[in-house]
Amino acid sequence: LQKLLKGYALLNILTPEPKQISKAVTKDELLRAMVREELVLHYQPQLNIATGEVVGVEALVRWQHPERGLIFPDDFIPQAEVLGVIDELGWYVARLGLSEIRQFVNREGLQLKLSLNVSPQSLHDLQLPDIFVGLARQYGVAPENIVLEITESGLIQELASALDILTRLRMKRVHLSIDDFGTGYAMMQQLRRVPATELKIDRSFVHDMHQLNSARVVVRKTIEIGHELGMKIVAEGVETKEQLEFLRINGCDIAQGYYFSRPVPAIVLLDWMKNYAPLHF
Ligand code: C2E
Ligand code: MG
Ligand code: MG
Ligand code: MG
C-alpha cells in the first residue's frame, strides 16, 4: 500500500489540480467576517452503505462575502492558518455546528453525528479537550456524537504536539477521523499511534477507481487495514452509482458525495432528508 501511495504522490505532482488564483485576505477581514457572522456552514450527509441510512453530517465552512459572494474554504483556511486566526475560526465553526446540529434528529429520534474539520495547527493546547467537550455539553451534544476530522498530512506535521490532545479527546469519547487518507504519504508506523476511529479515503482515489486498478487496490487495502485496526471507513467524493457499488462490495462503511447531496445549508439538507428514502438506495 505504501508503495502504491508513493506512486500516487508522483501522479499528483505530474497532474496538479488547477489552482484558483484568489485575492489574499487579511487578518482584519477574517476577524470582521466572524464578528459579522459571514462565515456559514454547509452540511453534507454521510450514509451507511449497508442500510442507506443517514448517519452523520459533515460541516463545511463557507464565507458569505458581501461583495465577493460565496468563498470556499480552500481560499481562506490556509490564510487563516498563516495569519494566526485559525483557532478563532475553529471555535466559531464549532459553536455554529453545535448550535445547528440539533435540527438533525432522524426519524428514530437519534441524533446524527456531526463531523467538524479541525486544523492540526489548533491542536496545541492541552486544555482543548476539556473546553471542547464542555462546549458540546452546553449545546446538549454528547461527545460520542462528534467526529473531529484532521487531514493525514496535517496530522503527520503536528504529530508530536497533537498526539496528547487527540488521546485526551478520544478518552472523552470524541471520535477522531483521518481525513484525505492516502494523500499525506504518512508511514503506517506513525499513523498507528493516532487513536482514530475513522479513516476517510481521499476523493482522488474514489474518482480514479473506474479507470485505474491502482486506485481500486488502494481503496480495497485501505478498507482492509482500517477495519483490522478497528476503524470505520468513509469514502468521500462518491459521485456515481458504480463507485457506490464498488465500495459496497468491498465493505466500505460510509459514503459521502455529490451522488447523494452537495454540501448545502442546514435547512436545505433537512428538506432533502425528508424526501430521502433509504429503500431506493
Ligand atoms: P474535506 O474535509 O476533505 O472536505 C471534502 C471536500 O470535498 C469539500 O470541499 C466538499 O465540498 C467536497 N466534496 C464533497 N463531495 C464531493 C464530490 O462528490 N465530488 C467532489 N469533487 N467534491 C466533493 P470544500 O467544502 O471546498 O472544503 C475543502 C476543504 O476545506 C475540506 O476538505 C477541509 O479540509 C477544509 N475545511 C472545510 N471546512 C473547514 C472548517 O470548518 N475548518 C477547517 N479547519 N477546515 C475546513
Ligand atoms: Mg473533512
Ligand atoms: Mg477529505
Ligand atoms: Mg480535503
Side-chain angles (χ1 to χ4, degrees):
L1 183 61
Q2 209 66 53
K3 224 166 140 189
L4 264 163
L5 293 175
K6 280 211 187 97
Y8 251 89
L10 195 69
L11 220 120
N12 281 337
I13 291 163
L14 295 176
T15 54
E17 276 182 36
K19 276 261 178 296
Q20 214 182 302
I21 299 155
S22 57
K23 194 176 125 245
V25 293
T26 66
K27 186 171 179 170
D28 275 353
E29 281 178 304
L30 276 167
L31 290 171
R32 217 180 310 133
M34 287 187 260
V35 173
R36 294 180 180 170
E37 299 184 5
E38 290 168 4
L39 300 189
V40 297
L41 288 176
H42 284 184
Y43 297 88
Q44 191 176 33
Q46 299 181 321
L47 289 89
N48 177 323
I49 295 180
T51 65
E53 262 175 311
V54 181
V55 290
V57 292
E58 178 175 3
L60 294 151
V61 72
R62 278 98 180 79
W63 182 356
Q64 187 65 69
H65 196 283
E67 284 115 43
R68 294 163 61 195
L70 202 63
I71 307 177
F72 285 82
D74 287 339
D75 285 335
F76 64 91
I77 292 287
Q79 269 118 318
E81 287 172 341
V82 172
L83 296 167
V85 290
I86 192 66
D87 287 3
E88 284 86 347
L89 195 148
W91 289 113
Y92 176 105
V93 163
R95 281 177 193 281
L96 186 55
L98 288 167
S99 71
E100 291 189 320
I101 188 64
R102 270 176 301 181
Q103 306 168 69
F104 294 108
V105 174
N106 78 11
R107 280 168 223 167
E108 290 77 39
L110 285 170
Q111 186 159 32
L112 301 182
K113 280 208 176 83
L114 170 68
S115 289
L116 295 168
N117 292 284
V118 176
S119 165
Q121 255 190 50
S122 294
L123 300 173
H124 54 76
D125 182 1
L126 279 180
Q127 303 301 315
L128 184 137
D130 273 330
I131 300 171
F132 180 73
V133 170
L135 184 71
R137 293 207 190 287
Q138 272 179 42
Y139 285 94
V141 181
E144 54 265 38
N145 282 329
I146 301 172
V147 183
L148 298 182
E149 298 189 1
I150 306 120
T151 61
E152 183 193 34
S153 52
L155 256 178
I156 296 311
Q157 260 170 25
E158 308 280 335
L159 198 61
S161 63
L163 212 48
D164 235 3
I165 293 162
L166 294 174
T167 304
R168 285 174 196 222
L169 280 164
R170 185 64 204 125
M171 277 163 61
K172 293 177 182 298
R173 286 178 289 139
V174 174
H175 289 279
L176 304 172
S177 178
I178 302 177
D179 205 348
D180 300 350
F181 180 77
T183 61
Y185 333 128
M187 303 305 289
M188 285 295 166
Q189 190 59 16
Q190 285 180 294
L191 223 51
R192 203 167 49 84
R193 296 160 64 200
V194 179
T197 49
E198 185 180 284
L199 269 188
K200 289 190 89 167
I201 301 174
D202 189 67
R203 66 169 190 256
S204 59
F205 300 108
V206 176
H207 179 267
D208 292 349
M209 278 187 327
H210 76 285
Q211 54 172 13
L212 291 178
N213 183 54
S214 59
R216 290 192 289 274
V217 175
V218 167
V219 170
R220 265 204 309 267
K221 290 294 162 197
T222 302
I223 295 170
E224 202 178 302
I225 292 171
H227 278 165
E228 279 186 37
L229 293 172
M231 294 189 266
K232 288 254 185 285
I233 314 298
V234 182
E236 62 174 30
V238 177
E239 295 183 354
T240 68
K241 177 98 185 149
E242 290 69 35
Q243 290 168 342
L244 179 64
E245 283 318 315
F246 181 86
L247 293 164
R248 192 203 305 273
I249 288 164
N250 287 286
C252 185
D253 303 287
I254 296 165
Q256 181 182 348
Y258 295 169
Y259 182 60
F260 309 106
S261 167
R262 288 185 175 256
V264 288
I267 185 139
V268 178
L269 187 58
L270 281 167
D271 210 49
W272 177 87
M273 280 168 57
K274 270 188 213 136
N275 296 313
Y276 169 77
L279 285 177
H280 303 298
F281 187 68

